[in-house]
């Protein structure tokens, strides 16, 4: 079966949702700080044609960093939120299974819940 094509942002959200939620928050803060520093950097004015090419490349990089500071940080925060919700669901499932106090409680859940409980 062919794999569905995903965007870079979707991949970042999915990968971040698989790590502990606080890692996603730290990554969001670090990505914002680094990209914000790049986006706010001044570009030197062009004095000749060769410097104009370098200035255009620097300005393009600066523009990508400007939009990336919000997009990438938002993707990391969304992944952290998904990770936190998954962790909360696993904790709730464990509490419910423990409160049942019988081994047959695991038989009453579907395979996804059992996999989440064991994981």
């Amino acid at each position: 079966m062919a794999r569905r094509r995903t965007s870079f942002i979707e991949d970042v959200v999915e990968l971040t949702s698989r790590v502990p939620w606080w890692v996603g928050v730290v990554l969001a803060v670090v990505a914002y700080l680094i990209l914000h520093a790049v986006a706010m950097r001044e570009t030197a004015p062009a004095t000749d044609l060769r410097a104009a090419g370098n200035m255009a490349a620097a300005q393009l990089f600066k523009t990508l960093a400007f939009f990336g500071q919000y997009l990438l940080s938002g993707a990391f925060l969304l992944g952290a939120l998904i990770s936190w919700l998954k962790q909360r669901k696993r904790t709730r499932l464990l509490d419910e299974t423990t409160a049942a106090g019988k081994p047959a409680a695991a038989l009453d859940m579907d395979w996804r819940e059992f996999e989440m409980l064991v994981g």
Side-chain angles (χ1 to χ4, degrees), residues 35-117:
L35 292 173
H36 183 73
V38 171
M40 294 299 127
R41 190 176 346 156
E42 292 292 324
T43 55
T47 55
D48 61 353
L49 192 57
R50 184 173 297 153
N54 290 338
M55 185 193 76
Q59 188 62 38
L60 176 65
F61 190 66
K62 200 174 139 174
T63 303
L64 290 173
F66 176 77
F67 290 111
Q69 69 184 342
Y70 301 113
L71 290 175
L72 194 59
S73 296
F76 282 136
L77 287 176
L78 182 60
L81 176 65
I82 293 169
S83 176
W84 178 75
L85 290 172
K86 285 180 181 179
Q87 179 186 9
R88 193 170 145 210
K89 186 175 181 179
R90 282 191 303 268
T91 303
R92 181 186 52 80
L93 187 61
L94 179 63
D95 291 343
E96 288 174 1
T97 306
T98 305
K102 57 183 179 177
L107 296 174
D108 295 335
M109 60 181 71
D110 66 350
W111 67 270
R112 286 185 185 97
E113 289 177 333
F114 181 74
E115 183 178 307
M116 189 178 299
L117 178 66

Side-chain angles (χ1 to χ4, degrees), residues 12-32 69 71-84 87:
V12 168
V13 170
E14 182 178 344
L15 289 173
T16 307
S17 71
R18 294 179 183 207
V19 297
W21 65 268
W22 57 270
V23 173
V25 173
V26 169
L27 287 172
V29 170
V30 169
Y32 179 80
Q69 69 184 342
L71 290 175
L72 194 59
S73 296
F76 282 136
L77 287 176
L78 182 60
L81 176 65
I82 293 169
S83 176
W84 178 75
Q87 179 186 9

